Amino acid sequence: MNRISSLAASVGGLAGKRQGGVSRLLLLPASVAAAMLVGSVFILAVGANPLEAYYYMLIRPLTSVTALGEVSMYFTPLLLVGIGVSFAFHAKLSNLGGEGQMLFGALGMTLMGIPPVGGALGIWSLPAGILLGVALGAGWAAIAGYFKFKFHASEIIITLMLNYVARQIISYLVFYPLRSGAEPQSAKLAAALPKLWATSRLNWGVLIALVLTVVYGVIVRRTAFGYRLRALGDSEKAAVYGGVPKDRYYFLAMVLSGALCGLAGALQVSGNTMRLMEGVAGDFGFGGIVVAMLGGLHPLGIAAAALFMALLSAGSVTMQVKTGIPTSFTSVLEALIVLFVLLGMAVGGMKLGRKGDRS
Amino acid sequence: MKELESRLLELRGISKYFGATAANDSIDLHLNSGEVLALLGENGAGKSTLMNIIFGMYHPDAGRILLRGKEVKISGPEDAMRNGVGMVHQHFMLVGRFDAVQNVCLMDGTASLTVWNRKKVRAELEKLKEQYHIEVELDCPVERLSISMQQKIEILKLLYTGAEILILDEPTAVLLPQECEALFEMIREMAAQGKGVIFISHKLGEVLRVSHRISVLSHGKVTGEVATAQADQALILRMMSGDDLPDLGSYVKKPAGERVCLSCEQLEGVDDRGVKTLNGVDLTVHCGEIVGVAGVEGNGQDELAEVLAGVRPAFSGEIQVDGKLLNSAKAGRFIESGVGYIPSDRNTVGTVPNFPLRENWLLRNRNWPKRHGLTDLRAAAGQASRAMEEFDVRGADCMTRSANLSGGNLQKFILARELGGAPKALVCSYPTRGLDMKAAWFVRSQLTRAKEAGVGIVLFSGDLDELFALSDRIVVLYRGRVVGQCRPEETTPQDIILMMMGGQA
Amino acid sequence: MDASSVFNAGFLAALFASGVRQSVPLIYGSVGDTLSEKSGVMGICIEGEMLFGAFFSYLFALRTGSLWAGVLMGAAAGMLSSVIVAVWSVLLRQDQAIVGIMFNIFAMGFTNFLNRLIFGTSNANISVETFSHIPIPGLSRLPFVGDVFFNQDILTYLSVLLAAVVYFVLAKTKLGLRLAAAGENPKAAQACGIRVARFRFLSYMFCGFSAGVAGASLTLSSVGTFTEAISAGRGFICLAIVILARWNPLMAVVAAFGFGSIQALQIRLQVLGSSLPYQFFVALPYLITVLVLVLAGRNIRAPRELGIPFERERR
């Protein structure tokens, strides 16, 4: 214990002298490499070739537009949820409710896209659905935000619990009122997100997500609002001293976070599944947290991490077919990477996420 | 030989660094049994760090510790206690929700899976209470007890463990004079029983009264040691500061203006625990006036400063800034109205620790530098750099994280920022606490310069000399109320102290 | 089928008996979490530890043919896996929520991975014999109550015993006092000679042990096989139970029984094809938790430094 902390202190001292910049930059690739190394053990256990497996996961999906389209199906929601939860992380709020917020976003898009509304609106059901989805996602997150600042209830537990509630609400809706046909799912949407390429699933969602990532970066770094969020996250007392109405900002951070997750849900329905169904949000709620952590809350980092994770997910299916490694290997790899990043941050004396500095 | 046998504790060459600053720089110290050793020094001199090293809370970077002539390695408080070292910390180490018996019970090193016997522990405490004449409530959660009661429980904890080396870290800072007297009596009693006591303080008078020997610490070094019997005030002061003190009284005050710039009426408010600590405070500050606020710690100073700066809500009463009524706890409005605030906690309140200085410069900024509607960080950096040069902030540029600044430089930076916004009024909470002499003087001179420029200043300070030297008027806060005010030239520190205790001048 | 014929005594007895069975993993999980939360660390990771416990208990029960070997290995797997969480959040002082979530993702991937690896895609049919019910002499003859509470398997009885032991330890022993001090005011605890980090580390491991047994009870008490994501959010319900029970293990048993019964009801409604949407009952435990968090007096009993990393030499 002592040895570890003194080691951490001495390495931290070194990193501090370099302002943390260089070491932070190296952290992500180093963690990825370490995780892939450990992952190789798993691959070898299956009797497969690690290099081949990583080829199918990371390189193959980049080789054709069609495959890229598949990657984008993961990339868009991961990126949006990633920047969404990052807003909350900046204020040291842990929004673990991305899944629920996505589900409500998906619901918003569905309500606008299916008959009777969808038929009447035609192509206009897309913007209308996006708006409603964003609003519903934000609203679902607002519940946790409200409870947080009104009752000081832990947003960690509340957002987690609300995921399950949201799942059941969606399940109820697709089983009963919105059901269309034999399967528990809604009717097909009237309009789909326009494609960017005829032979690929690449659609406008990618562009929307990328633009918003830039906007996210600008808001966080270059506006008073972002400044105040970050101040609140680093030292609540200092932020209050600086004139930040903290309750309002906690609430806003949560709502903004939910709005982006809601958007992810809306785009997921209109660009991918075309119907509302159970599990439409996939694992993107927690996946977005991984992305935010890996990306160090930096817009470029988040985009890179989202791409990396999307490759893993999209490539894992091919990998399973070709090498026999189960797709669940990707979650092992993801978790390992984040654990290595956290390890690196601890040794480098850096911190991310919530910190309990009450003294 | 006899002296060596009675030697309880010896420190040789102890050093401890926090980052680049040496909190302790190769310190030698010893303690004999039956002796009260006073450790004297200013805030930040390294006293608490040294004691925490003896108690195992910190690990020294260099040096040796000898207990009863044998070298020991103290890897944690549990080791220290096993070796008969006990400590009452400046900030008490009590579990608030536990009562005294439970807190004491935590101290014994017996096996974890034993059932604890409340009756037995309680009976032993009763015995100790009697032996040392300690009056204290044993069955009530300690967070509901007064500070002095809590201190007594801390002392009971030590006595219960049978510690032979007792460290008391600034035990009088929170006590009233009559309570201090009782504490001294206890200390004498403990020394008479053959225990060794290390008594930390920065108050000369009490040190002269209670100790046998005095060691002076300054900037992490022992700068002098003297038997109390041979000590005199001037000698010790010289040891403490390293050279003769500049004369605080030499500053000639310029008379205050007529216009009221900050005032409050019947302010009532609570602290973080919900205890009502402001019971109707009235205060008026004129332009170009420094109003000093004196009081024993914990009489509502912290809350008053925060309410006046708009950071803490007051549940009744009103605050006017430059004739304008302001809602409490809207810090943003206070900033816009020109109220500057120098909080007592520089590190996590006055600045955002992980922000670079150019971003910390923007905290409380009234004219946010913008370009094309976005924050202009280059302009912010320019402003910050200029101000840092003017205020002599050293060892940092505007990209340095504020957490990496030393106390003095950080305080100068905060001062530069608050005065740079051309405030009408300035609330200063313990602005020189823990600063070295030079930095403290710099801060004081900046405050007087601001006053002469017409800023109305409320100065909270625990240093009476500072209050007398700078203030145009001193008000005394006692139990959340202003109990008296006077002009420094018409009064004496003794009168103020009397009022601080709740007596009438 | 009308309501009166459904809700007769026989139905209710079966319902509550199933409720008790459903509550067993919840009891193990929440008792473990109670202890760790007392010392100041949150068991977000229980969900993943349950998966570890469930998979390894099934694996070993199947391979050795002994249910007890299964339970033991499940507990050991839960405990060993908790070391990961403990190292990251106690020693490296990283955020407990994030480490916990990452650990859960890891556990999910890891157990699925091993499951595919060892059993391929068709393990649905390989099941082990589950623990048999042990009627308690005398008590099991009691009308209604006997069927519900005293005709259960050994893991059920042990879960209540564990809760009682933990209650005793927390309330009466020095260990309990020290754990509470570590969660209330770690700095003060440290000054009293308590090794806060060690206590927190070990209580994480106890929590892992307990969650491992919870996982074992999922596979070895009723289903007899491991399916992917078998824990299905129970770990998070445990967190809710701890709050609802106000950090009292005995109350946790009661709360777990309540949640278990709701779950049993939900399953029955689904089977019966009732017109009541079963989703409401699935969501109910989570809704109750949110309400409890909001209404139950702002968590006055929560350990004060819960979830906050402790740094030894913090100034």
Side-chain angles (χ1 to χ4, degrees):
Chain A
M1 161 79 217
N2 282 329
R3 212 168 300 146
I4 291 180
S5 56
S6 65
L7 178 76
S10 56
V11 178
L14 279 176
K17 283 204 186 85
R18 281 185 283 149
Q19 302 276 329
V22 180
S23 51
R24 204 169 252 255
L25 227 65
L26 282 173
L27 187 56
L28 186 57
S31 305
V32 168
M36 284 172 69
L37 211 62
V38 176
S40 305
V41 178
F42 286 79
I43 299 172
L44 289 171
V46 190
N49 178 355
L51 288 178
E52 193 190 350
Y54 288 132
Y55 166 77
Y56 284 116
M57 282 185 116
L58 298 174
I59 310 213
R60 180 73 180 275
L62 291 170
T63 51
S64 75
V65 186
T66 319
L68 265 182
E70 289 308 312
V71 174
S72 77
M73 291 297 115
Y74 296 93
F75 177 72
T76 306
L78 279 173
L79 184 55
L80 285 171
V81 176
I83 55 176
V85 296
S86 293
F87 268 119
F89 276 136
H90 274 300
K92 287 241 157 65
L93 289 173
S94 299
N95 177 12
L96 308 185
E99 182 185 344
Q101 292 143 21
M102 252 186 98
L103 285 173
F104 268 84
L107 174 65
M109 175 56 88
T110 309
L111 290 179
M112 285 296 167
I114 58 169
V117 187
L121 287 177
I123 192 72
W124 290 105
S125 67
L126 280 176
I130 285 175
L131 282 181
L132 185 62
V134 166
L136 285 182
W140 193 246
I143 299 176
Y146 179 77
F147 287 163
K148 168 82 182 173
F149 87 79
K150 193 77 187 174
F151 301 102
H152 303 282
S154 155
E155 83 284 357
I156 299 178
I157 309 274
I158 299 263
T159 50
L160 265 178
M161 295 295 139
L162 288 181
N163 281 342
Y164 289 91
V165 177
R167 261 190 216 175
Q168 296 312 316
I169 291 175
I170 298 302
S171 166
Y172 167 76
L173 289 174
V174 298
F175 262 89
Y176 304 106
L178 297 182
R179 189 168 188 154
S180 154
E183 294 294 310
Q185 57 186 21
S186 75
K188 206 166 176 225
L189 298 195
L193 270 184
K195 283 186 176 186
L196 291 173
W197 203 280
T199 58
S200 156
R201 295 177 79 189
L202 271 179
N203 62 34
W204 278 78
V206 180
L207 294 186
I208 296 176
L210 285 173
V211 168
L212 284 177
T213 306
V214 175
V215 173
Y216 156 84
V218 171
I219 289 181
V220 166
R221 289 284 145 197
R222 302 293 295 276
T223 66
F225 176 80
Y227 175 89
R228 293 173 147 208
L229 273 191
R230 287 186 292 123
L232 202 55
D234 199 40
S235 170
E236 185 186 280
K237 282 184 182 165
V240 170
Y241 164 70
V244 180
K246 65 170 178 176
D247 291 339
R248 194 191 308 162
Y249 271 74
Y250 278 138
F251 184 72
L252 279 176
M254 212 60 191
V255 167
L256 204 54
S257 184
L260 283 162
C261 294
L263 176 63
L267 297 185
Q268 173 79 352
V269 179
S270 56
N272 187 354
T273 66
M274 294 309 289
R275 293 171 190 273
L276 185 65
M277 57 187 83
E278 281 184 303
V280 73
D283 294 329
F284 296 121
F286 289 151
I289 295 174
V290 178
V291 164
M293 294 295 303
L294 287 181
L297 308 191
H298 189 279
L300 271 179
I302 295 174
L307 180 62
F308 181 76
M309 294 258 305
L311 286 175
L312 288 187
S313 305
S316 66
V317 183
T318 338
M319 176 194 71
Q320 184 173 8
V321 175
K322 300 272 183 183
T323 65
I325 303 165
T327 50
S328 45
F329 175 68
T330 50
S331 351
V332 175
L333 203 57
E334 278 166 36
L336 282 175
I337 294 169
V338 177
L339 286 176
F340 277 113
V341 167
L342 290 175
L343 175 72
M345 290 205 304
V347 173
M350 295 177 263
K351 278 197 175 137
L352 190 71
R354 300 150 44 86
K355 175 178 64 180
D357 224 346
R358 286 199 192 159
S359 58
Chain B
M1 272 327 275
K2 194 171 169 288
E3 194 190 320
L4 273 180
E5 271 165 36
S6 68
R7 183 153 293 185
L8 284 174
L9 169 76
E10 188 162 354
L11 304 181
R12 290 191 194 152
I14 297 286
S15 296
K16 173 76 185 174
Y17 298 90
F18 285 108
T21 46
N24 289 158
D25 187 359
S26 87
I27 286 182
D28 297 324
L29 200 75
H30 69 271
L31 176 71
N32 299 321
S33 90
E35 181 185 43
V36 180
L37 169 68
L39 203 55
L40 206 62
E42 288 184 75
N43 284 312
K47 298 166 299 187
S48 293
T49 305
L50 185 64
M51 294 303 109
N52 275 317
I53 286 173
I54 302 175
F55 190 57
M57 298 283 272
Y58 296 159
H59 299 284
D61 294 320
R64 300 194 293 156
I65 301 172
L66 283 77
L67 287 170
R68 291 172 209 87
K70 271 200 215 95
E71 178 163 351
V72 289
K73 193 180 171 313
I74 300 177
S75 64
E78 57 281 358
D79 271 357
M81 289 193 301
R82 209 177 305 126
N83 283 306
V85 179
M87 175 164 176
V88 175
H89 293 79
Q90 198 174 349
H91 303 287
F92 299 151
M93 294 294 181
L94 294 168
V95 179
R97 249 182 235 173
F98 286 7
D99 65 21
V101 182
Q102 286 169 312
N103 266 298
V104 168
C105 228
L106 286 175
M107 299 293 287
D108 63 14
T110 53
S112 267
L113 276 176
T114 47
V115 176
W116 59 286
N117 187 337
R118 186 182 173 87
K119 262 193 206 133
K120 202 175 123 226
V121 177
R122 204 179 182 291
E124 255 175 85
L125 287 183
E126 289 291 351
K127 224 163 69 197
L128 285 172
K129 273 171 66 178
E130 208 162 309
Q131 191 183 345
Y132 290 91
H133 313 288
I134 301 174
E135 248 336 293
V136 73
E137 166 72 46
L138 293 180
D139 303 308
C140 165
V142 295
E143 64 192 357
R144 292 207 209 129
L145 299 175
S146 70
I147 298 284
S148 71
M149 282 282 192
Q150 292 186 9
Q151 186 178 56
K152 285 175 186 164
I153 293 172
E154 282 280 21
I155 291 173
L156 270 184
K157 269 166 70 177
L158 294 198
L159 296 172
Y160 178 82
T161 57
E164 281 189 305
I165 299 166
L166 301 157
I167 302 167
L168 306 177
D169 192 356
E170 300 210 17
T172 55
V174 292
L175 298 184
L176 296 173
Q178 55 272 37
E179 292 170 336
C180 287
E181 207 39 64
L183 175 74
F184 296 157
E185 204 45 55
M186 262 186 267
I187 291 176
R188 286 185 198 113
E189 181 80 44
M190 293 187 284
Q193 309 246 341
K195 297 177 192 293
V197 180
I198 300 179
F199 176 86
I200 299 180
S201 176
H202 55 252
K203 294 176 189 161
L204 257 181
E206 59 190 40
V207 161
L208 290 170
R209 268 170 58 207
V210 75
S211 69
H212 299 112
R213 195 156 51 88
I214 300 172
S215 268
V216 179
L217 228 61
S218 175
H219 296 108
K221 288 196 175 96
V222 176
T223 50
E225 196 193 293
V226 64
T228 310
Q230 276 119 51
D232 73 77
Q233 207 134 340
L235 173 72
I236 295 172
L237 274 179
R238 222 166 14 251
M239 289 184 192
M240 278 174 79
S241 60
D243 59 318
D244 287 315
L245 277 172
D247 191 4
L248 265 170
S250 60
Y251 166 61
V252 183
K253 290 166 193 161
K254 195 177 143 191
E258 290 292 308
R259 197 178 150 85
V260 175
C261 86
L262 174 70
S263 69
C264 67
E265 256 174 61
Q266 288 302 312
L267 275 191
E268 296 186 25
V270 295
D271 67 5
D272 286 335
R273 294 175 302 171
V275 178
K276 196 171 168 208
T277 48
L278 295 181
N279 296 305
V281 177
D282 298 317
L283 194 68
T284 307
V285 185
H286 300 89
C287 295
E289 183 185 36
I290 296 182
V291 177
V293 181
V296 177
E297 209 164 307
N299 274 283
Q301 296 97 314
D302 294 347
E303 289 77 24
L304 180 59
E306 288 178 9
V307 169
L308 286 179
V311 173
R312 176 180 291 276
F315 64 73
S316 76
E318 51 187 44
I319 304 168
Q320 288 195 8
V321 176
D322 202 19
K324 220 169 46 187
L325 198 63
L326 289 181
N327 280 333
S328 75
K330 293 265 193 282
R333 301 273 299 123
F334 277 70
I335 296 168
E336 281 162 33
S337 310
V339 181
Y341 177 34
I342 295 169
S344 55
D345 180 347
R346 304 185 262 279
N347 300 309
T348 60
V349 179
T351 50
V352 181
N354 286 315
F355 277 13
L357 288 180
R358 70 169 182 189
E359 287 201 294
N360 263 313
W361 179 257
L362 297 175
L363 198 69
R364 295 172 72 83
N365 200 314
R366 280 199 276 170
N367 359 310
W368 195 270
K370 274 188 185 167
R371 241 179 106 210
H372 310 308
L374 298 174
T375 309
D376 188 349
L377 285 172
R378 199 171 297 165
Q383 290 172 11
S385 301
R386 274 195 299 281
M388 282 159 67
E389 203 161 310
E390 190 189 338
F391 277 73
D392 193 30
V393 179
R394 289 185 207 170
D397 59 39
C398 59
M399 290 307 289
T400 313
R401 288 187 319 134
S402 74
N404 292 344
L405 254 66
S406 73
N409 282 319
L410 193 55
Q411 189 71 320
K412 286 182 198 168
F413 175 81
I414 294 172
L415 203 63
R417 188 185 61 201
E418 294 307 299
L419 291 176
K424 292 183 181 123
L426 185 67
V427 180
C428 292
S429 194
Y430 302 90
T432 60
R433 189 192 261 172
L435 298 188
D436 61 55
M437 288 286 177
K438 262 196 184 147
W441 272 98
F442 184 85
V443 169
R444 286 179 193 133
S445 66
Q446 289 300 328
L447 290 182
T448 53
R449 217 178 74 179
K451 162 203 150 88
E452 278 160 22
V455 181
I457 298 176
V458 192
L459 174 66
F460 293 83
S461 177
D463 181 347
L464 277 186
D465 294 337
E466 178 174 284
L467 285 179
F468 270 78
L470 299 186
S471 311
D472 298 290
R473 206 149 42 92
I474 295 178
V475 301
V476 179
L477 211 57
Y478 176 71
R479 300 215 168 141
R481 217 186 281 274
V482 172
V483 290
Q485 63 167 309
C486 45
R487 301 196 162 275
E489 55 275 13
E490 295 161 2
T491 185
T492 62
Q494 281 68 33
D495 291 337
I496 299 281
I497 291 172
L498 190 63
M499 283 196 281
M500 281 160 68
M501 305 309 171
Q504 287 298 313
Chain C
M1 199 180 286
D2 73 329
S4 59
S5 71
V6 171
F7 291 100
N8 58 32
F11 175 86
L12 285 180
L15 172 73
F16 284 122
S18 150
V20 170
R21 283 193 293 281
Q22 290 287 345
S23 70
V24 174
L26 300 180
I27 294 175
Y28 281 113
S30 55
V31 167
D33 185 46
T34 303
L35 189 126
S36 65
E37 288 204 6
K38 272 277 179 184
S39 78
V41 291
M42 244 192 291
I44 305 264
C45 49
I46 295 180
E47 178 78 8
E49 288 160 0
M50 271 191 192
L51 282 172
F52 267 97
F55 180 77
F56 283 97
S57 62
Y58 166 67
L59 179 68
F60 278 86
L62 189 70
R63 290 287 149 93
T64 63
S66 154
L67 287 177
W68 282 111
V71 173
L72 223 62
M73 292 314 289
M79 194 157 86
L80 285 177
S81 68
S82 74
V83 171
I84 302 175
V85 185
V87 166
W88 259 266
S89 48
V90 178
L91 295 191
L92 300 177
R93 295 189 293 272
Q94 294 296 316
D95 184 75
Q96 292 172 15
I98 289 170
V99 173
I101 292 294
M102 289 311 133
F103 173 77
N104 289 343
I105 293 176
F106 173 73
M108 175 85 94
F110 187 68
T111 52
N112 289 356
F113 181 81
L114 284 185
N115 188 39
R116 290 282 170 90
L117 195 63
I118 297 171
F119 299 106
T121 40
S122 57
N123 73 323
N125 300 325
I126 321 169
S127 58
V128 293
E129 206 176 318
T130 55
F131 277 106
S132 55
H133 288 202
I134 307 170
I136 295 195
L139 290 173
S140 63
R141 299 272 173 77
L142 291 172
F144 194 76
V145 182
D147 280 341
V148 174
F149 296 107
F150 301 111
N151 189 7
Q152 298 287 358
D153 66 14
I154 182 80
L155 286 181
T156 312
Y157 301 133
L158 284 179
S159 73
V160 181
L161 186 68
L162 183 73
V165 169
V166 170
Y167 174 81
F168 178 79
V169 166
L170 288 180
K172 302 286 177 197
T173 66
K174 292 238 162 85
L175 178 63
L177 207 57
R178 288 172 188 167
L179 278 175
E184 285 286 331
N185 187 345
K187 191 104 196 174
Q190 187 201 0
C192 293
I194 294 165
R195 298 180 187 202
V196 175
R198 180 181 297 184
F199 269 86
R200 289 185 166 187
F201 198 102
L202 291 175
S203 64
Y204 252 137
M205 286 180 70
F206 174 78
C207 182
F209 168 87
S210 197
V213 180
S217 79
L218 282 175
T219 49
L220 304 183
S221 267
S222 45
V223 217
T225 186
F226 175 83
T227 48
E228 295 187 353
I230 193 174
S231 52
R234 284 187 181 83
F236 299 127
I237 296 194
C238 290
L239 298 179
I241 289 173
V242 173
I243 295 162
L244 190 66
R246 305 207 153 195
W247 291 268
N248 177 339
L250 294 179
M251 289 303 291
V253 173
V254 178
F257 174 60
F259 281 7
S261 301
I262 293 172
Q263 227 156 1
L265 177 67
Q266 170 259 120
I267 294 167
R268 275 173 172 58
L269 285 176
Q270 228 172 168
V271 172
L272 287 173
S274 150
S275 57
L276 278 167
Y278 72 90
Q279 285 93 350
F280 174 72
F281 294 95
V282 183
L284 200 55
Y286 304 102
L287 274 175
I288 292 174
T289 307
V290 171
L291 282 182
V292 165
L293 265 181
V294 172
L295 299 177
R298 299 186 181 187
N299 276 334
I300 14 173
R301 290 191 188 222
R304 289 222 174 115
E305 300 262 312
L306 179 60
I308 298 168
F310 174 62
E311 212 166 316
R312 246 181 107 94
E313 300 201 356
R314 191 165 68 191
R315 282 186 108 175

